[in-house]
Amino acid sequence: MKRLIYFVVLLSLTLASCGEAPNGAQSRTLTVYAAASLTDAFTELGDAFEVLHPGVTVTFNFGGSQNLRTQIEQGATADVFASANTKEMDTLVTGNLVTSGTPKIFLTNQLVVILPEANPAGIVSLEDLATPGLKLVLAAEEVPAGRYARQILEHLNDLYGTDYKDSVLANVVSNEDNIRQAVTKVQLGEADASIVYVSDAVAVPELLRIEIPAEMNVIAEYPIAPVSETTNVDLANEFIGYVLSPAGQAALKKWGFTPIVP
């Protein structure tokens, strides 16, 4: 009988500990779907948010914004969505998967050319991207970063001739599902160049950069919103509030983004 009582007490304590965090805080998980370019910055923000909210675990699903939007449309469990463009967010608003009026632009980003540290192709200017035989890796056209890169190439036609964009795209050896995959291929020396976000370049300081003139660049706006089906409405809004707070915006700036002051 004593053994049975001991077992029941131990089981009760174990079950209680599964539902509570230290200091009696309720254990909860916040699931954030975020553009791949946010990986480093949001991982840091998630850690900080957990410290401020005992018992809360922030989990992330990073990927191409278009893929994340599709997953949410197909019923994936998510509390917050942060996109690298407004197109994917607007699609979710139209489908009532994100409440109209809730998306907020929380940062902007621009693009830059990155090269391997050894620069085996000898690239010294944007014009060199059109050199035949160059191995260029881009995000796919349906990925926000891939769409922005192609817009920039269109702008650069004004500098280098109307066939510049087509000549550069002829050098593309791979179109990636998200921008971080393109960065990785440059890091591994599998590509001579890529066009990525400034924030991606900040995360890999060993790579070389070629700046894109502001008048030829694009400004990518990132919106964030709670997902309509979230069961953590208050927590989702608190996370978004933290992203927009001075501390959150300072972290984003550190990772190469341009903050939006709320």
Side-chain angles (χ1 to χ4, degrees), residues 221-232:
E221 294 184 324
Y222 285 51
I224 189 170
V227 177
S228 296
E229 295 300 315
T230 179
T231 58
N232 292 309

Side-chain angles (χ1 to χ4, degrees), residues 84-239:
N85 67 355
T86 56
K87 177 178 179 291
E88 311 306 336
M89 184 67 77
D90 290 344
T91 299
L92 292 184
V93 170
T94 300
N96 295 317
L97 295 171
V98 168
T99 307
S100 178
T102 60
K104 295 179 174 63
I105 302 298
F106 66 100
L107 62 83
T108 62
N109 210 350
Q110 289 192 290
L111 287 89
V112 66
V113 174
I114 57 170
L115 317 169
E117 188 174 11
N119 192 14
I123 300 170
V124 296
S125 70
L126 295 173
E127 189 172 12
D128 290 340
L129 296 180
T131 303
L134 189 80
K135 292 184 295 183
L136 181 67
V137 170
L138 296 179
E141 190 166 4
E142 62 270 19
V143 180
R147 190 176 306 117
Y148 296 141
R150 287 162 176 83
Q151 290 175 5
I152 289 169
L153 295 177
E154 186 74 34
H155 298 164
L156 290 170
N157 277 346
D158 293 338
L159 284 180
Y160 303 124
T162 55
D163 61 343
Y164 173 78
K165 177 183 177 182
D166 291 340
S167 297
V168 173
L169 292 179
N171 287 331
V172 175
V173 296
S174 179
N175 289 290
E176 303 299 323
D177 287 338
N178 69 67
I179 195 61
R180 297 309 286 261
Q181 292 173 352
V183 174
T184 297
K185 290 203 168 182
V186 176
Q187 284 180 289
L188 294 174
E190 296 176 8
D192 296 318
S194 185
I195 302 174
V196 305
Y197 293 116
V198 170
S199 56
D200 293 310
V202 168
V204 283
E206 71 274 14
L207 299 182
L208 305 179
R209 298 192 212 179
I210 297 179
E211 303 294 332
I212 299 170
E215 64 273 17
M216 301 293 173
N217 215 318
V218 297
I219 296 177
E221 294 184 324
Y222 285 51
I224 189 170
V227 177
S228 296
E229 295 300 315
T230 179
T231 58
N232 292 309
V233 177
D234 292 344
L235 196 60
N237 284 322
E238 285 181 38
F239 179 80

